[in-house]
Amino acid sequence: MNKVKLEYSNIEVGLPSIDYFLDKIKNTIPFHFVRINHGILDLIHNAYENLSHFEKDYRYGNYELIANRVIEHRNSDEPNYKHYNWHRNHLDEFKSGLITFLKILGDYKEISPKLEISVSLGVGLGTVWGVWEKGHPYQIKRDKLWNIIDANKNSEFYYSGVLKHYSVKNEIHKLFDTLNDNEFDVIFVGRRYFHQYEKIYNIKKFHHIEIKEFGAIGHVNETIESIKKIIKTPSKTILIYCTGHVISAILANEFSNTDLFGLDVGLSLDWKLRDNTNEKSNGVWMERRRINEVELNNYIDNIRR
């Protein structure tokens, strides 16, 4: 498997081709692929003036202490704490979910061999789009934070941008073709616009569980129960979701020791919607006015060599 360095970093992570996932699907080898991008990393490093304190908490698995620091920082800096707004009015659920996220990150090998963690210090597009300039305090802190995570656990990580890359390179249809050929039930969990993917990818056994744009974490137990109602034994099922990092960790933790497959796609599929004037996500990475498509394609080609 190819390796790629994280944005403005010397840390290398795996760069799986789409065949990596297709082979697992064809051979019925369940996996749960979880993404981690800049938002959740900023959430954590902003809570620590000195990341050596985070290192101590993380090394010894004091995940509740880390979650408490994040909550305290949010309460002291509410006007600037934009990421928290996704979970407004659900403080207890957010804290519990953040602890689950940290456990997944730190102890995933002990939780389940099916868990696969991926990361970007931006949005998975290298330095083409979605990062601050080199030397920006946020980029420096993201790198320091991930160096701590990478050094303190015997873990293997992947690059979270690969799903966006498959979309840009028009390879993502292979995923849904393979799921159709192998008669998978495909459960999408995400906002209302996700219903479009049934026709876009001609998904035969399509299901959609809609979640709210804000406050979805307050209904995560309902979401889990809705998923369980769809799962049929012995049929094969994959969960494809765009729920934010905390809820994705909750779902992965819930289902990682079952036969359910899991793929955290985030906004990766939105490339297909970049010319849609009706329903689209709040993601802007795919908008033609914002990104140089030639530069993006060249970047993907270069890291695959």
Side-chain angles (χ1 to χ4, degrees):
M1 182 183 296
N2 286 356
K3 297 279 187 178
V4 64
K5 288 185 178 180
L6 295 178
E7 295 81 355
Y8 304 125
S9 175
N10 289 320
I11 301 173
E12 288 191 330
V13 291
L15 190 74
S17 71
I18 196 167
D19 289 334
Y20 174 81
F21 298 103
L22 301 186
D23 289 343
K24 286 177 178 284
I25 291 168
K26 292 174 185 176
N27 292 295
T28 318
I29 304 173
F31 60 85
H32 283 264
F33 188 81
V34 179
R35 297 174 315 107
I36 298 171
N37 284 352
H38 71 89
I40 192 75
L41 300 180
D42 293 343
L43 198 72
I44 296 169
H45 75 65
N46 278 332
Y48 285 85
E49 290 186 12
N50 188 335
L51 283 174
S52 65
H53 297 148
F54 167 80
E55 181 174 15
K56 180 180 178 181
D57 291 341
Y58 183 74
R59 181 190 304 164
Y60 293 108
N62 295 324
Y63 304 132
E64 187 170 1
L65 287 178
I66 298 172
N68 285 335
R69 289 285 291 263
V70 170
I71 299 297
E72 289 170 7
H73 182 266
R74 179 267 170 191
N75 290 339
S76 65
D77 193 23
E78 185 169 357
N80 295 317
Y81 216 80
K82 296 179 181 179
H83 295 299
Y84 178 80
N85 289 337
W86 296 100
H87 307 299
R88 63 179 63 151
N89 302 324
H90 296 284
L91 188 62
D92 291 340
E93 294 94 336
F94 171 68
K95 177 182 173 181
S96 175
L98 183 56
I99 292 171
T100 298
F101 168 85
L102 292 164
K103 287 179 179 177
I104 289 284
L105 177 59
D107 304 323
Y108 75 91
K109 285 192 173 183
E110 288 73 33
I111 294 171
S112 173
K114 300 171 187 175
L115 284 167
E116 300 179 341
I117 311 298
S118 64
V119 62
S120 166
L121 304 186
V123 297
L125 301 176
T127 58
V128 175
W129 191 85
V131 291
W132 296 99
E133 67 274 9
K134 186 176 184 180
H136 189 282
Y138 268 39
Q139 290 299 147
I140 292 173
K141 289 179 181 178
R142 292 170 188 173
D143 185 38
K144 286 183 178 179
L145 180 67
W146 199 260
N147 265 288
I148 291 170
I149 292 168
D150 192 53
N152 277 282
K153 304 288 181 177
N154 183 25
S155 303
E156 180 181 8
F157 299 109
Y158 302 92
Y159 191 55
S160 69
V162 293
L163 294 160
K164 284 190 173 85
H165 303 175
Y166 306 156
S167 291
V168 172
K169 288 298 184 180
N170 198 29
E171 298 167 344
I172 198 70
H173 70 88
K174 297 178 183 178
L175 172 69
F176 298 105
D177 291 346
T178 301
L179 291 170
N180 281 339
D181 291 344
N182 289 270
E183 300 183 338
F184 269 71
D185 280 281
V186 181
I187 305 175
F188 274 79
V189 180
R191 288 172 52 204
R192 181 172 299 174
Y193 77 94
F194 261 41
H195 75 88
Q196 298 174 89
Y197 292 125
E198 178 180 15
K199 292 183 178 179
I200 289 174
Y201 294 110
N202 191 29
I203 301 170
K204 294 178 180 178
K205 301 170 74 173
F206 178 87
H207 311 267
H208 179 210
I209 298 172
E210 184 179 342
I211 63 170
K212 296 181 178 181
E213 181 175 0
F214 293 100
I217 199 165
H219 305 275
V220 71
N221 289 333
E222 299 167 28
T223 300
I224 290 171
E225 288 306 310
S226 295
I227 293 168
K228 289 179 178 179
K229 288 179 182 178
I230 296 172
I231 298 172
K232 301 170 185 175
T233 304
S235 85
K236 294 175 285 189
T237 307
I238 187 169
L239 190 65
I240 296 178
Y241 47 94
C242 172
T243 58
H245 301 309
V246 172
I247 297 178
S248 71
I250 294 171
L251 295 178
N253 185 64
E254 178 71 28
F255 294 108
S256 60
N257 283 308
T258 72
D259 291 331
L260 184 71
F261 290 63
L263 191 59
D264 174 9
V265 298
L267 303 175
S268 301
L269 305 183
D270 290 7
W271 187 257
K272 278 283 189 181
L273 305 178
R274 65 192 187 281
D275 295 321
N276 190 333
T277 58
N278 297 317
E279 294 180 271
K280 60 174 65 176
S281 77
N282 65 338
V284 295
W285 75 274
M286 72 294 179
E287 293 183 5
R288 295 185 188 278
R289 65 188 176 90
R290 293 178 180 269
I291 196 161
N292 184 319
E293 292 188 35
V294 173
E295 184 180 0
L296 178 58
N297 274 277
N298 288 340
Y299 159 72
I300 296 170
D301 290 340
N302 286 335
I303 64 173
R304 287 180 168 187
R305 292 194 175 106

